[in-house]
Amino acid sequence: MKSLLRPALVLLASFTILTGVVYPVLVTAVAQAAFPARAHGSLVRDGERVVGSELIGQPFDDPRFFWGRPSATAPYPYNAAASSGSNLGPTNPALRDAVSARIAALRAADPGNGAAIPVDLVTTSGSGLDPHISPAAAYFQVARVARARTLDEARVRALVDSHVEGRMLGVLGERRVNVLRLNLALEELARNGI
Amino acid sequence: MLESNLLRGVVYLLVLVGLALPLGSYMARVYNGEAKLAGRLLGPIERLFYRAAGVRADEEMTWKQYAGAVLVFNLLGALVLYVLQRLQASLPLNPAGFGAVSPEISFNTATSFATNTNWQAYGGETTMSHLTQMLGLTVQNFVSAATGMAVLVALVRGFARRTTEGLGNFWVDLTRSTLYVLLPLSIVVALVLVSQGVVQTFAAKETANLLVPTTASDGARVTQQILAVGPAASQIAIKQLGTNGGGFFNVNSAHPFENPNAIANFVEMLSILLIPAALCFTFGAMVKDKRQGAAVFAAMLAIFVPLLVVAVVAEQKGNPMLTGLGVDQVASSLMPGGNMEGKEARFGVVDSALWATVTTAASNGSVNAMHDSFTPLGGLVPMWLMQLGEIVFGGVGSGLYGMLMYAIIAVFIAGLMVGRTPEYLGKKIESFEMKMASLVILLPAAAVLIGTAIACIVPAGTATLGNPGAHGFSEILYAFSSGANNNGSAFGGITVSGVFYATAIGLCMLIGRYWVIVPVLAIAGSLARKKFVPPSAGTLPTHTPLFVALLVGTVLLVGALTFIPALALGPVVEHISLHAK
């Protein structure tokens, strides 16, 4: 037993220094030198002002903006200090009620649109911070956004077209639209008139 | 759609095998002390550690000494982690000012990280200081993984060596696993992840101004978004490579700062299975018959692929309850469709189901989607993979030593059929080996089923369920399956931070880890003492498709007989009720 204690203590201490201090400090130093913007959270700036992170979604429920995935974080949606999913099971009545309420809100904001609603627009994301929606979910909202802003629908559609990101390396992941980026571009479009 | 889904699975498996083959033979050289180039670079650090620790690298340990070293080292690590959590409020590097962690959560977490489970009864960004994450959690991520690898290497030596007591030296195997394998791979993976957007900073938060202010549930106006950040990439790299799975943030790899895009997702999924897959080839190299390693790898793959298909198909079908509400769940070129509750848009259903299968095949337990919201059959797959004992690739080291226990049982069954003394790799399998192998398989299974049964009858077990009905039972069954098999993923709706679950799952994790390690090392000691029996006409060859089929059959039979009654009460009932209407 005693012959085991010294190696156990010394090796644990050595690995604590090596993997608990040297390793993260080394990775931080190299990462911040090589990828400074990424390491700090891929922040999006408007001049000096931080308007968000490219990777973290923001809450939108105004008809003038594209809406993102529903979010289950508390006490407000897209709380990036406490990520959380809904963890509702597929047969839970609470899931059906929540989805029904979201459908009602989408229909109320866009009464003329009778199309089936893309599933990602009425289901919460895993993180509660999902920055993306599917292209289908973005196109679903084009008419509403254009009407609320009295913009030409074709221009808004073209804006969505230019924000659709393809699969990475051609095979990985899904096609998607970054909602914050799209809404920032929309604001830009509206600010420049026309 | 089908082609692109298929392509993704095939690309993943091809890249995995392409990387596992060279890594496997490199690791064999490392454990045999023959890694020349790496030895020149890292040898000085290795020797410094031995000098400081008073370790003589060529000193052999018997199986009892080896097991003693494992237990002492792990106990010490758990103690340090417990103390760190209890005292974090008065220690430095706590920029968010978190208080001390409660005793039951500290016990649960210390056990969890020392046993390579990484079950998290807490939310990362709201509980643990940077110091606790670095000095406690990250360190255990490395050394608990290295412990599993060391135990495996000792078992393999038991097969490879003849008439000796010595199984190698735990301190040396531990040090080499960390220094030569885990650390270099982690540095590379961490930097790749940062290049894709995973955060790595010592700050605690960034602040952004919301484009449109929102309202909190208490009516307060919210104009700013606080973005929790931290040294995440360094922890995520080892959490995946070491099949640990404990996330930096509450939602683990569903969080965009842990897993920002499909490339990061691919790299993280590769990292999960890389070392467990490579160790199959290390095993082949160390017993000097590469076909043996390939056969075990093939058996793992033969269980993995069909279960992956089941999970993907179930998730892609979506939730029939939502179709009736006017929701479009059909995949098209504009959306992935399927059951998207609890999933991220950038991953869709395919990458989420693939991850769920990978993370529970390995004893990793990190998630990129909420398993609790999977369809019943999509959730059954990860649950059953854990219940099989985490042997389909499994945890680093622990997966393969678990699978080798099944191989022992498979040759025993074959021996019974033809009436001969069974042999595996030239070693006679006798009653002692069979008793120990049975313990390895029965104890975790008993912990799962007895734990679930107790939780179902005590008020504290059912008070904190997140979902009603059969799904609530699934949450309990999943929790104990995950704990006793050292996975760490969860059906997250259940609240497990209370005293009952923190303690019960903590005990299950201890049983699932050490009541497996000790019998495995006992088998290693017994095998090493035996003579080599040259193969004869009556020997069952263990590198053929026939043996692979026998091994797969044994695993599935034991797994099915043990768990189908329990699964019938959870996911199966739920599946039927969901589709009955």
Side-chain angles (χ1 to χ4, degrees):
Chain A
M1 182 66 191
K2 224 177 131 201
S3 66
L4 295 177
L5 262 182
R6 179 179 165 201
L9 275 171
V10 173
L11 285 179
L12 184 63
S14 310
F15 284 127
T16 301
I17 293 165
L18 185 68
T19 64
V21 180
V22 176
Y23 163 67
V25 168
L26 176 79
V27 170
T28 308
V30 177
Q32 298 209 346
F35 315 104
R38 292 286 185 197
H40 287 104
S42 309
L43 301 177
V44 181
R45 287 191 163 81
D46 182 11
E48 283 298 289
R49 204 176 124 92
V50 177
V51 295
S53 162
E54 186 189 319
L55 297 175
I56 305 290
Q58 294 190 3
F60 295 102
D61 56 4
D62 183 327
R64 296 162 60 251
F65 290 91
F66 285 92
W67 300 357
R69 303 287 305 279
S71 162
T73 62
Y76 52 89
Y78 288 91
N79 176 6
S83 57
S84 174
S86 76
N87 282 313
L88 293 178
T91 51
N92 194 330
L95 174 65
R96 190 178 50 217
D97 296 347
V99 171
S100 302
R102 290 172 201 137
I103 292 173
L106 282 163
R107 296 284 185 218
D110 191 10
N113 187 347
I117 301 175
V119 61
D120 54 312
L121 213 47
V122 292
T123 48
T124 60
S125 60
S127 61
L129 306 173
D130 196 342
H132 298 110
I133 50 177
S134 67
Y139 288 120
F140 179 85
Q141 304 181 62
V142 164
R144 183 198 76 216
V145 171
R147 197 165 52 245
R149 288 183 178 260
T150 59
L151 282 167
D152 181 14
E153 198 177 310
R155 295 207 49 171
V156 179
R157 186 174 302 276
L159 194 69
V160 174
D161 288 341
S162 66
H163 278 80
V164 172
E165 301 167 44
R167 293 186 198 279
M168 301 189 82
L169 308 176
V171 285
L172 300 178
E174 300 294 344
R175 296 184 187 90
R176 66 218 174 279
V177 173
N178 186 308
V179 180
L180 179 61
R181 285 237 178 256
L182 178 62
N183 281 329
L184 286 169
L186 190 64
E187 285 283 87
E188 185 75 23
L189 187 77
R191 203 180 308 156
N192 296 341
I194 328 146
Chain B
M1 278 314 285
L2 182 66
E3 304 82 73
S4 89
N5 293 353
L6 208 61
L7 185 65
R8 263 184 276 182
V10 171
V11 167
Y12 176 75
L13 289 175
L14 284 180
V15 175
L16 177 67
V17 174
L19 292 174
L21 278 168
L23 179 63
S25 62
Y26 165 73
M27 284 194 286
R29 290 200 299 280
V30 165
Y31 292 119
N32 288 334
E34 296 160 357
K36 290 276 162 9
L37 182 65
R40 224 170 300 158
L41 286 169
L42 299 165
I45 307 178
E46 186 190 353
R47 287 188 290 275
L48 181 71
F49 278 23
Y50 295 157
R51 232 187 348 266
V55 169
R56 290 215 315 277
D58 53 358
E59 194 171 43
E60 291 281 328
M61 291 179 171
T62 66
W63 83 262
K64 284 180 184 159
Q65 290 168 324
Y66 205 102
V70 169
L71 295 178
V72 167
F73 183 75
N74 277 246
L75 180 67
L76 202 64
L79 276 178
V80 169
L81 184 48
Y82 180 85
V83 171
L84 265 177
Q85 293 175 82
R86 299 289 293 137
L87 299 182
Q88 72 174 14
S90 17
L91 294 171
L93 262 181
N94 185 6
F98 294 132
V101 184
S102 74
E104 63 270 16
I105 295 294
S106 300
F107 160 73
N108 184 280
T109 307
T111 312
S112 173
F113 278 72
T115 57
N116 197 246
T117 310
N118 305 50
W119 172 263
Q120 291 172 294
Y122 60 88
E125 68 267 54
T126 54
T127 316
M128 299 293 174
S129 74
H130 285 355
L131 189 83
T132 310
Q133 297 252 23
M134 284 165 54
L135 289 194
L137 305 184
T138 304
V139 173
Q140 283 303 317
N141 278 351
F142 277 96
V143 296
S144 70
T147 297
M149 294 160 80
V151 170
L152 169 73
V153 170
L155 175 65
V156 174
R157 290 198 188 107
F159 282 112
R161 291 181 175 180
R162 292 160 199 186
T163 55
T164 170
E165 290 288 327
L167 291 177
N169 185 308
F170 173 68
W171 309 121
V172 172
D173 295 333
L174 175 81
T175 305
R176 287 188 181 158
S177 301
T178 310
L179 207 56
Y180 287 75
V181 183
L182 295 169
L183 193 59
L185 282 174
S186 296
I187 292 172
V188 174
V189 169
L191 291 175
V192 171
L193 290 179
V194 178
S195 79
Q196 296 305 310
V198 177
V199 291
Q200 181 72 24
T201 160
F202 287 112
K205 59 173 187 166
E206 298 284 348
T207 307
N209 298 286
L210 289 174
L211 190 55
V212 182
T214 188
T215 316
S217 53
D218 61 358
R221 198 175 141 82
V222 182
T223 58
Q224 288 194 321
Q225 191 177 36
I226 307 296
L227 307 165
V229 294
S234 52
Q235 188 183 323
I236 293 158
I238 183 61
K239 110 180 174 194
Q240 308 300 32
L241 285 163
T243 60
N244 297 285
F248 193 88
F249 300 103
N250 183 40
V251 293
N252 211 289
S253 283
H255 198 296
F257 280 159
E258 277 205 42
N259 192 2
N261 63 33
I263 292 179
N265 192 63
F266 189 79
V267 171
E268 290 187 32
M269 278 196 301
L270 266 184
S271 310
I272 293 175
L273 285 193
L274 179 60
I275 295 177
L279 282 170
C280 293
F281 304 118
T282 307
F283 162 65
M286 287 181 78
V287 298
K288 301 211 163 41
D289 184 356
K290 292 196 171 153
R291 298 170 307 178
Q292 304 291 346
V296 172
F297 181 86
M300 292 177 173
L301 207 57
I303 302 173
F304 177 82
V305 171
L307 287 175
L308 170 64
V309 173
V310 171
V312 171
V313 170
E315 290 309 297
Q316 188 70 65
K317 271 200 162 153
N319 185 342
M321 191 171 81
L322 301 188
T323 313
L325 299 175
V327 176
D328 183 5
Q329 299 181 83
V330 180
S332 71
S333 61
L334 290 180
M335 67 171 210
N339 174 28
M340 282 299 287
E341 179 71 21
K343 295 191 179 63
E344 300 282 295
R346 62 194 179 282
F347 305 137
V349 290
V350 177
D351 282 349
S352 302
L354 175 57
W355 182 298
T357 314
V358 165
T359 193
T360 48
S363 78
N364 183 279
S366 64
V367 297
N368 77 345
M370 298 299 113
H371 291 187
D372 211 350
S373 299
F374 271 37
T375 61
L377 294 187
L380 184 147
V381 166
M383 209 182 312
W384 200 44
L385 273 166
M386 295 188 297
Q387 291 163 348
L388 291 179
E390 295 294 17
I391 43 110
V392 181
F393 301 108
V396 287
S398 61
L400 185 54
Y401 64 63
M403 190 54 136
L404 292 176
M405 295 300 109
Y406 271 104
I408 286 176
I409 289 176
V411 294
F412 176 76
I413 293 173
L416 284 183
M417 288 194 260
V418 295
R420 275 184 57 98
T421 308
E423 296 154 17
Y424 187 49
L425 304 171
K427 293 295 174 79
K428 276 202 164 72
I429 302 301
E430 292 165 300
S431 85
F432 180 75
E433 286 79 28
M434 277 308 297
K435 281 180 200 156
M436 292 297 129
S438 306
L439 278 183
V440 167
I441 286 159
L442 290 177
L443 286 173
V448 172
L449 294 174
I450 295 171
T452 304
I454 293 174
C456 286
I457 51 177
V458 301
T462 50
T464 57
L465 296 181
N467 284 281
H471 198 84
F473 175 77
S474 295
E475 286 183 338
I476 301 177
L477 182 61
Y478 197 105
F480 283 95
S481 302
S482 178
N485 291 293
N486 299 141
N487 182 274
S489 68
F491 269 13
I494 185 173
T495 303
V496 289
S497 50
V499 176
F500 171 75
Y501 275 110
T503 314
I505 304 275
L507 292 175
C508 283
M509 292 189 285
L510 289 173
I511 293 169
R513 181 73 166 177
Y514 301 108
W515 284 11
V516 169
I517 281 183
V518 174
V520 163
L521 287 172
I523 289 181
S526 158
L527 289 173
R529 275 196 297 273
K530 294 185 190 221
K531 288 199 292 281
F532 179 76
V533 188
S536 67
T539 305
L540 173 73
T542 51
H543 59 266
T544 58
L546 177 70
F547 178 74
V548 172
L550 186 67
L551 181 54
V552 170
T554 308
V555 170
L556 295 184
L557 203 65
V558 172
L561 290 176
T562 315
F563 290 104
I564 278 183
L567 290 170
L569 296 175
V572 176
V573 164
E574 195 186 17
H575 176 77
I576 293 168
S577 74
L578 189 59
H579 289 269
K581 287 149 211 153

